[in-house]
């Protein structure tokens, strides 16, 4: 029922309504070389909130709102525009603010001696100031912020994320120690390269920046996820799998990475590995598409009973999807469970009359004509899903908690 309701919410267009929005922080440092820091703060705070079970709107949502409102990304905007962006995305609150240099700070942090382990003396500090606007009650919260050495930017952002979480969810069960401990320090040059990758004008430029970020700090997940997505889109599944494997458990994109890792393994013929990945996702996000793909990985390993159970869960979540009907019917047909196969293959044809494969198999099931050795129509016909709708599931969870 939970998965069916999540699907209904997705279809009704209420996805992530009432989520938190984090805007890029405004550059008061009077140095264009440091513009990337505003985007970095937004990404870090958003990730901190998302990984702490807060519903958040992602960067793509925000950029779409800027486009609709004809606002230039990266420019400082008025308080009225902050409200308009939040309302355009139906956000419940907006986190925004600014940052500035304190005396003695260098303006080229990547090449600064502060990044040299042999010269640990900091060359200056950064001060970040933030506020949270509650759009539901049109009320602005108190100002809060963090100050620290620029080379410790990632740690500063984590502490700022903790303060934002405490304001948005005062009853969080996380302790500050747990929150900070789950987010290890990251080199500032790795952070800068990652953000410049997000802001780059071309996929080729983005890939170069992301690769450099991942090389500079091998434990830094975000560039690994972005690189994996790029290789996935190019159907280079083996390379993509290697990058998806590097996404850390603490990263809010971890389950999404595991889902696509499962698909990469599936396409590479590693069905046991795919099954493991899909099981990891299903344990925390029991989505229809996850159960469907789990069933496909199990079916390829001739685990008929397990596959039928997984396909049944997918179909229970969305009985209108013809692919779920087909996969269950096909697997039942291969297991000589003809009554179930006939019912589900017939349902497939009813939902998609042009599905010739389902029509053919239905005819064979009615005759109790089972699989034949060497017949290409008898094996490996499972249909996998590549959409991943975790956001709808999280939205439903949040609604049920109200």
């Amino acid at each position: 029922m939970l998965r069916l309701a999540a699907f209904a919410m997705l279809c009704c267009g209420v996805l992530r309504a009432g989520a938190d929005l984090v805007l890029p922080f405004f550059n008061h440092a009077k140095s264009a070389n440091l513009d990337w820091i505003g985007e970095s703060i937004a990404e870090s705070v958003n990730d901190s909130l998302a990984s702490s079970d807060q519903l958040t709107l992602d960067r793509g949502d925000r950029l779409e709102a800027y486009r609709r409102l004809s606002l230039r990304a990266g420019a400082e905007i008025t308080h009225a525009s902050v409200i308009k962006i939040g309302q355009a995305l139906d956000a419940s609150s907006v986190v925004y603010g600014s940052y500035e240099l304190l005396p003695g700070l260098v303006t080229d942090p990547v090449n600064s001696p502060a990044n040299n382990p042999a010269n640990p003396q900091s060359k200056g500090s950064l001060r970040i100031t933030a506020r949270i606007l509650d759009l539901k009650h049109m009320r602005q919260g108190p100002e809060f912020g963090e100050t620290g050495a620029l080379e410790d930017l990632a740690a500063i952002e984590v502490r700022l994320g903790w303060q934002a979480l405490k304001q948005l969810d005062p009853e969080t069960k996380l302790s500050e120690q747990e929150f900070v401990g789950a987010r290890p320090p990251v080199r500032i040059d790795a952070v800068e390269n990652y953000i410049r990758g997000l802001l780059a004008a071309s996929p080729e430029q983005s890939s170069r920046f992301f690769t450099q970020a991942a090389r500079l700090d091998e434990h830094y997940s975000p560039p690994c996820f972005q690189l994996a997505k790029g290789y996935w889109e190019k159907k280079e599944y083996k390379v993509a799998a290697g990058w998806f494997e590097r996404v850390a458990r603490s990263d809010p994109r971890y389950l999404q990475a595991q889902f696509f890792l499962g698909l990469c393994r599936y396409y590479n013929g590693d069905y046991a590995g795919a099954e493991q990945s899909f099981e990891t996702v299903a344990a925390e996000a029991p989505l229809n598409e996850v159960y469907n793909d789990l069933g496909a990985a199990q079916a390829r390993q001739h685990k008929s009973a397990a596959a039928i159970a997984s396909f049944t869960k997918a179909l229970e979540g969305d009985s209108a999807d013809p692919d779920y009907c087909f996969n269950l019917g096909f697997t039942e047909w291969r297991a000589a469970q003809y009554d179930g196969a006939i019912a589900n293959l017939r349902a497939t044809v009813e939902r998609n009359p042009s599905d010739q494969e389902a029509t053919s198999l239905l005819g064979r099931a009615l005759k109790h004509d089972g699989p034949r050795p060497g017949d290409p129509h008898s094996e490996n016909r499972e249909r996998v899903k590549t959409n991943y709708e975790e956001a709808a599931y999280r939205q439903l969870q949040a609604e049920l908690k109200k």
Side-chain angles (χ1 to χ4, degrees), residues 196-207:
R196 293 199 183 281
L198 292 178
L199 300 174
S202 71
E204 293 76 19
Q205 288 179 324
S206 293
S207 181

Side-chain angles (χ1 to χ4, degrees), residues 122-139:
S122 174
K123 297 300 180 181
S125 300
L126 185 74
R127 178 161 58 205
I128 305 174
T129 304
R131 304 197 80 151
I132 298 179
L133 178 62
D134 181 350
L135 289 176
K136 286 184 177 179
H137 306 96
M138 204 53 68
R139 180 175 60 214

Side-chain angles (χ1 to χ4, degrees), residues 56-192:
T56 62
L57 292 150
D58 62 27
R59 185 169 181 271
D61 298 320
R62 182 232 305 163
L63 290 176
E64 175 60 21
Y66 271 68
R67 187 193 65 79
R68 294 205 310 257
L69 296 172
S70 300
L71 296 172
R72 184 168 63 86
E76 183 163 357
I77 57 178
T78 65
H79 184 75
S81 292
V82 170
I83 295 174
K84 287 180 180 178
I85 294 172
Q87 290 176 334
L89 295 173
D90 199 17
S92 61
S93 61
V94 182
V95 182
Y96 68 103
S98 62
Y99 58 98
E100 60 182 327
L101 302 177
L102 298 181
L105 186 64
V106 294
T107 59
D108 186 8
V110 171
N111 297 312
S112 167
N115 281 318
N116 185 350
N119 183 9
Q121 184 177 2
S122 174
K123 297 300 180 181
S125 300
L126 185 74
R127 178 161 58 205
I128 305 174
T129 304
R131 304 197 80 151
I132 298 179
L133 178 62
D134 181 350
L135 289 176
K136 286 184 177 179
H137 306 96
M138 204 53 68
R139 180 175 60 214
Q140 186 162 256
E143 185 178 282
F144 61 99
E146 287 288 341
T147 301
L150 182 59
E151 60 266 29
D152 296 329
L153 174 64
I156 300 170
E157 291 171 339
V158 168
R159 295 198 300 270
L160 188 76
W162 168 251
Q163 290 197 59
L165 176 63
K166 287 294 290 182
Q167 285 204 29
L168 291 166
D169 183 13
E171 297 181 1
T172 179
K173 295 180 181 179
L174 283 172
S175 69
E176 182 175 3
Q177 184 178 7
E178 291 171 330
F179 182 90
V180 174
R183 296 159 179 83
V186 181
R187 289 177 52 134
I188 186 173
D189 47 0
V191 175
E192 178 174 0

Side-chain angles (χ1 to χ4, degrees), residues 322-339:
D323 289 339
Y324 298 156
C325 297
F326 176 86
N327 283 340
L328 180 54
F330 173 70
T331 307
E332 289 172 327
W333 171 74
R334 281 186 52 81
Q337 297 180 18
Y338 295 114
D339 289 344

Side-chain angles (χ1 to χ4, degrees), residues 232-246:
W232 161 264
E233 289 167 0
K234 291 187 288 187
K235 298 184 179 181
E236 296 183 30
Y237 301 124
K238 187 174 182 179
V239 180
W243 287 111
F244 279 129
E245 287 172 350
R246 290 180 57 177

